[in-house]
Amino acid sequence: MTGQITITRFDAGQLESRLGDFGAMLHACVHDGASIGFIDPFGMDEAVAFWRDMVLPAMRGGKRDLFVALSEAEAEAEAEAEAEAEAEAEAEVEAEAEAEAEAGVGTGARAGTGAGAGAGTGTGAGAEAEAVAGAGAEAEAGTGAGAGAAIVGTVQLDCAAMPNQAHRADVCKLMVHPDFRRMGIAKKLMQALEKRADVLGKTLLTLDTRTGDNAEPLYASLGFATVGVIPAYARDPFSEKLSGTTIMYKMTGR
């Protein structure tokens, strides 16, 4: 998958308006084997609930920053596919309306009520056409409400520390959609997070990641040091296997 990737910071309102999109991305990551707190079976309802019930309140409380990777190319492809599907549906409805109108006029002429039949059919066809137009307007309005590029990655900066740890923050839930891996997105997300942490005056960042995952060398390349490994820390998403977690930190130099 190619296309322009943009990293931005979402506010609570933006997250709330696209809960379904965030849920879909989380759902795809978990089912691809990501160790981010969830296990199979893991449905869309649970995926959306995570963002709605866990992340959204923290953002509204000013304790969580959400960084999002957006793909313009993916959004354009989805919009084109939706437009084609809508056009095909409208063409089918119009064809059916025309066929019904022709059948109605023919029957009315034979019965000697051609004018009435034609008028009745015309009214029905007009109403059907209005319904199609209305559906199109609703679809357009819905697209506008959720307009924007496709969400393909996220990471969170959790600043909900105790008063004696106000200088530090936790890195949480770094994830990239399976279709957008190996494009440097995770690194860009982390760089944006670190810039924000610096603005907030955070001099210590902490995190944990499944031992042996691809994220571990990524964090190391960004200057995170390893404290140690806690064995048998978390369950595999698809089995009873328990994996260790690597505890890491980074001093920002302030």
Side-chain angles (χ1 to χ4, degrees):
M1 192 70 66
T2 59
Q4 182 179 353
I5 300 296
T6 303
I7 307 299
T8 187
R9 182 162 61 94
F10 269 32
D11 60 26
Q14 289 171 303
L15 168 59
E16 186 172 27
S17 70
R18 301 190 63 177
L19 284 171
D21 295 333
F22 279 95
M25 188 201 59
L26 173 60
H27 186 264
C29 290
V30 172
H31 282 272
D32 192 58
S35 180
I36 44 181
F38 304 97
I39 59 175
D40 193 54
F42 180 68
M44 273 294 297
D45 288 346
E46 188 177 356
V48 172
F50 165 74
W51 297 101
R52 183 189 65 236
D53 302 337
M54 302 294 291
V55 181
L56 190 56
M59 291 179 67
R60 285 175 172 162
K63 299 298 185 180
R64 189 82 56 95
D65 281 307
L66 174 64
F67 302 88
V68 184
L70 303 170
S71 170
E72 296 289 348
E74 181 71 3
E76 290 174 2
E78 290 178 357
E80 289 177 2
E82 289 177 2
E84 289 179 3
E86 288 177 11
E88 290 178 1
E90 289 181 8
E92 289 179 4
V93 171
E94 289 176 1
E96 290 177 2
E98 289 178 2
E100 289 176 2
E102 290 177 1
V105 170
T107 303
R110 285 194 298 271
T113 56
T121 304
T123 302
E128 200 161 354
E130 288 177 8
V132 171
E138 288 180 7
E140 188 173 348
T143 301
I151 296 168
V152 299
T154 67
V155 69
Q156 300 169 44
L157 181 68
D158 184 0
C159 300
M162 296 298 290
N164 67 341
Q165 301 168 44
H167 63 290
R168 77 169 186 89
D170 291 326
V171 178
C172 306
K173 298 290 186 289
L174 173 63
M175 65 185 87
V176 176
H177 191 285
D179 292 342
F180 289 81
R181 303 273 169 80
R182 300 187 181 279
M183 294 175 58
I185 294 175
K187 183 176 182 179
K188 291 178 180 178
L189 284 165
M190 286 297 298
Q191 290 171 335
L193 177 147
E194 288 191 35
K195 287 180 181 179
R196 176 63 175 169
D198 186 60
V199 169
L200 295 174
K202 304 302 178 182
T203 58
L204 173 64
L205 297 177
T206 58
L207 62 85
D208 69 89
T209 183
R210 182 168 58 182
T211 304
D213 267 4
N214 292 332
E216 197 170 349
L218 167 67
Y219 295 134
S221 73
L222 292 170
F224 282 80
T226 298
V227 176
V229 175
I230 302 177
Y233 185 83
R235 221 197 87 177
D236 183 87
F238 306 117
S239 71
E240 298 293 333
K241 176 185 175 182
L242 296 177
S243 298
T245 192
T246 301
I247 308 298
M248 308 182 80
Y249 74 93
K250 180 176 181 177
M251 305 294 297
T252 62
R254 261 186 147 192

